[in-house]
Amino acid sequence: VANMAKVPKELIENAKAVKKTKKIEKQNAQEKKKLKDLLASLNKPKRPISPYLLFCQDIRPRLSANGLFGTEIVRTMAVEWNQADTKTKELFEKKNEELFSKYEKELERWSRKMHEEGRDEEIAMAQSKVDKIRKNAKDGSIEEIAKAQTKAVKKSKDAKE
Protein backbone atom coordinates (compact mmCIF):
# COMPACT_ATOMS: atom_id res chain seq x y z
CA VAL A 1 0.00 0.00 0.00
CA ALA A 2 2.88 2.37 0.76
CA ASN A 3 4.31 1.82 -2.74
CA MET A 4 0.94 2.70 -4.32
CA ALA A 5 1.20 6.19 -2.87
CA LYS A 6 4.34 6.74 -4.98
CA VAL A 7 2.57 5.79 -8.23
CA PRO A 8 1.15 8.87 -9.98
CA LYS A 9 -2.62 9.02 -10.00
CA GLU A 10 -2.64 9.45 -13.80
CA LEU A 11 -0.84 6.14 -14.30
CA ILE A 12 -3.35 4.36 -12.11
CA GLU A 13 -6.23 5.96 -14.04
CA ASN A 14 -4.57 5.01 -17.31
CA ALA A 15 -4.15 1.39 -16.19
CA LYS A 16 -7.79 1.23 -15.10
CA ALA A 17 -8.95 2.69 -18.43
CA VAL A 18 -6.81 0.21 -20.37
CA LYS A 19 -8.19 -2.68 -18.30
CA LYS A 20 -11.76 -1.47 -18.86
CA THR A 21 -11.19 -1.17 -22.61
CA LYS A 22 -9.71 -4.64 -22.83
CA LYS A 23 -12.71 -6.01 -20.95
CA ILE A 24 -15.13 -4.25 -23.32
CA GLU A 25 -13.18 -5.43 -26.38
CA LYS A 26 -13.25 -9.00 -25.08
CA GLN A 27 -17.02 -8.79 -24.48
CA ASN A 28 -17.49 -7.32 -27.95
CA ALA A 29 -15.48 -10.12 -29.54
CA GLN A 30 -17.45 -12.76 -27.61
CA GLU A 31 -20.82 -11.28 -28.57
CA LYS A 32 -19.76 -10.88 -32.20
CA LYS A 33 -18.71 -14.53 -32.27
CA LYS A 34 -22.02 -15.61 -30.74
CA LEU A 35 -23.92 -13.57 -33.34
CA LYS A 36 -21.78 -14.92 -36.19
CA ASP A 37 -22.22 -18.51 -34.96
CA LEU A 38 -25.97 -18.00 -34.59
CA LEU A 39 -26.30 -16.62 -38.11
CA ALA A 40 -24.13 -19.43 -39.49
CA SER A 41 -26.19 -22.07 -37.69
CA LEU A 42 -29.33 -20.53 -39.21
CA ASN A 43 -27.72 -20.65 -42.69
CA LYS A 44 -27.84 -16.91 -43.35
CA PRO A 45 -26.71 -16.18 -46.92
CA LYS A 46 -23.32 -14.52 -47.25
CA ARG A 47 -22.68 -11.29 -49.14
CA PRO A 48 -21.01 -11.74 -52.51
CA ILE A 49 -17.38 -10.76 -52.91
CA SER A 50 -16.33 -7.49 -54.53
CA PRO A 51 -15.59 -7.07 -58.25
CA TYR A 52 -11.87 -6.88 -57.41
CA LEU A 53 -11.96 -10.21 -55.57
CA LEU A 54 -13.92 -11.80 -58.43
CA PHE A 55 -11.13 -10.57 -60.73
CA CYS A 56 -8.51 -12.05 -58.38
CA GLN A 57 -10.31 -15.41 -58.34
CA ASP A 58 -10.28 -15.38 -62.11
CA ILE A 59 -6.59 -14.59 -62.65
CA ARG A 60 -5.00 -16.29 -59.63
CA PRO A 61 -4.74 -19.77 -61.26
CA ARG A 62 -2.91 -18.25 -64.25
CA LEU A 63 -0.47 -16.43 -61.99
CA SER A 64 0.16 -19.54 -59.88
CA ALA A 65 0.81 -21.53 -63.03
CA ASN A 66 3.40 -18.91 -64.03
CA GLY A 67 5.35 -19.68 -60.87
CA LEU A 68 4.39 -16.69 -58.75
CA PHE A 69 3.89 -17.18 -55.01
CA GLY A 70 2.45 -15.32 -52.02
CA THR A 71 2.98 -11.59 -52.05
CA GLU A 72 4.14 -11.66 -55.68
CA ILE A 73 0.70 -12.92 -56.71
CA VAL A 74 -1.11 -10.32 -54.59
CA ARG A 75 1.05 -7.51 -55.92
CA THR A 76 0.59 -8.66 -59.53
CA MET A 77 -3.20 -8.97 -59.12
CA ALA A 78 -3.39 -5.42 -57.72
CA VAL A 79 -1.27 -4.03 -60.58
CA GLU A 80 -3.33 -5.87 -63.20
CA TRP A 81 -6.60 -4.63 -61.66
CA ASN A 82 -5.35 -1.05 -61.59
CA GLN A 83 -4.22 -1.31 -65.22
CA ALA A 84 -7.35 -3.13 -66.42
CA ASP A 85 -9.50 -1.29 -68.93
CA THR A 86 -13.03 -0.21 -68.04
CA LYS A 87 -14.52 -3.01 -70.15
CA THR A 88 -12.78 -5.64 -68.02
CA LYS A 89 -13.78 -3.95 -64.78
CA GLU A 90 -17.38 -3.58 -65.97
CA LEU A 91 -17.49 -7.32 -66.68
CA PHE A 92 -16.61 -8.10 -63.05
CA GLU A 93 -18.87 -5.34 -61.73
CA LYS A 94 -21.77 -6.81 -63.72
CA LYS A 95 -21.05 -10.28 -62.33
CA ASN A 96 -20.94 -8.77 -58.83
CA GLU A 97 -24.31 -7.06 -59.40
CA GLU A 98 -25.82 -10.37 -60.51
CA LEU A 99 -24.45 -12.12 -57.44
CA PHE A 100 -25.68 -9.29 -55.22
CA SER A 101 -29.17 -9.51 -56.73
CA LYS A 102 -29.20 -13.25 -56.05
CA TYR A 103 -27.94 -12.60 -52.50
CA GLU A 104 -30.71 -10.08 -51.81
CA LYS A 105 -33.36 -12.58 -52.94
CA GLU A 106 -31.85 -15.33 -50.78
CA LEU A 107 -31.60 -12.95 -47.83
CA GLU A 108 -35.25 -11.95 -48.21
CA ARG A 109 -36.26 -15.64 -48.34
CA TRP A 110 -34.10 -16.37 -45.29
CA SER A 111 -35.56 -13.40 -43.37
CA ARG A 112 -39.10 -14.57 -44.09
CA LYS A 113 -38.20 -18.07 -42.94
CA MET A 114 -36.65 -16.73 -39.70
CA HIS A 115 -39.78 -14.67 -39.07
CA GLU A 116 -42.04 -17.68 -39.69
CA GLU A 117 -39.94 -19.79 -37.32
CA GLY A 118 -39.89 -17.03 -34.71
CA ARG A 119 -36.11 -16.72 -34.78
CA ASP A 120 -36.01 -13.05 -35.79
CA GLU A 121 -36.33 -11.91 -32.16
CA GLU A 122 -33.39 -14.10 -31.15
CA ILE A 123 -31.29 -12.59 -33.95
CA ALA A 124 -32.33 -9.04 -33.01
CA MET A 125 -31.37 -9.65 -29.37
CA ALA A 126 -27.93 -10.93 -30.33
CA GLN A 127 -27.41 -7.98 -32.68
CA SER A 128 -28.53 -5.49 -30.04
CA LYS A 129 -26.00 -6.91 -27.55
CA VAL A 130 -23.20 -6.37 -30.07
CA ASP A 131 -24.45 -2.86 -30.85
CA LYS A 132 -24.72 -1.95 -27.16
CA ILE A 133 -21.18 -3.11 -26.39
CA ARG A 134 -19.85 -1.31 -29.47
CA LYS A 135 -21.62 1.90 -28.37
CA ASN A 136 -20.20 1.60 -24.85
CA ALA A 137 -16.71 1.14 -26.28
CA LYS A 138 -17.11 4.24 -28.44
CA ASP A 139 -18.66 6.40 -25.73
CA GLY A 140 -16.30 5.87 -22.88
CA SER A 141 -13.23 3.84 -22.55
CA ILE A 142 -11.29 4.76 -25.68
CA GLU A 143 -11.61 8.45 -24.91
CA GLU A 144 -10.75 7.80 -21.26
CA ILE A 145 -7.53 6.06 -22.27
CA ALA A 146 -6.55 8.85 -24.64
CA LYS A 147 -7.14 11.48 -21.95
CA ALA A 148 -5.33 9.47 -19.29
CA GLN A 149 -2.35 8.83 -21.58
CA THR A 150 -2.15 12.49 -22.54
CA LYS A 151 -2.19 13.52 -18.88
CA ALA A 152 0.44 10.92 -17.99
CA VAL A 153 2.74 12.02 -20.81
CA LYS A 154 2.40 15.71 -19.85
CA LYS A 155 3.06 14.93 -16.16
CA SER A 156 6.12 12.83 -16.97
CA LYS A 157 7.51 15.56 -19.24
CA ASP A 158 6.87 18.17 -16.56
CA ALA A 159 8.54 15.99 -13.94
CA LYS A 160 11.64 15.51 -16.13
CA GLU A 161 12.01 19.27 -16.67
Side-chain angles (χ1 to χ4, degrees), residues 113-127:
K113 180 181 175 191
M114 292 301 105
H115 181 70
E116 289 167 4
E117 293 177 5
R119 304 298 294 267
D120 52 350
E121 191 174 313
E122 179 183 2
I123 296 166
M125 292 279 289
Q127 183 64 53

Side-chain angles (χ1 to χ4, degrees), residues 48-60 62 80-81 84-100:
I49 59 176
S50 69
Y52 170 70
L53 290 176
L54 289 169
F55 172 79
C56 291
Q57 276 184 342
D58 190 53
I59 68 165
R60 187 179 201 103
R62 176 178 53 87
E80 287 192 25
W81 176 255
D85 59 352
T86 55
K87 190 175 181 181
T88 303
K89 288 185 178 184
E90 285 174 358
L91 175 77
F92 290 100
E93 288 168 359
K94 184 179 179 197
K95 185 172 184 180
N96 174 264
E97 288 171 6
E98 291 168 3
L99 290 172
F100 197 79

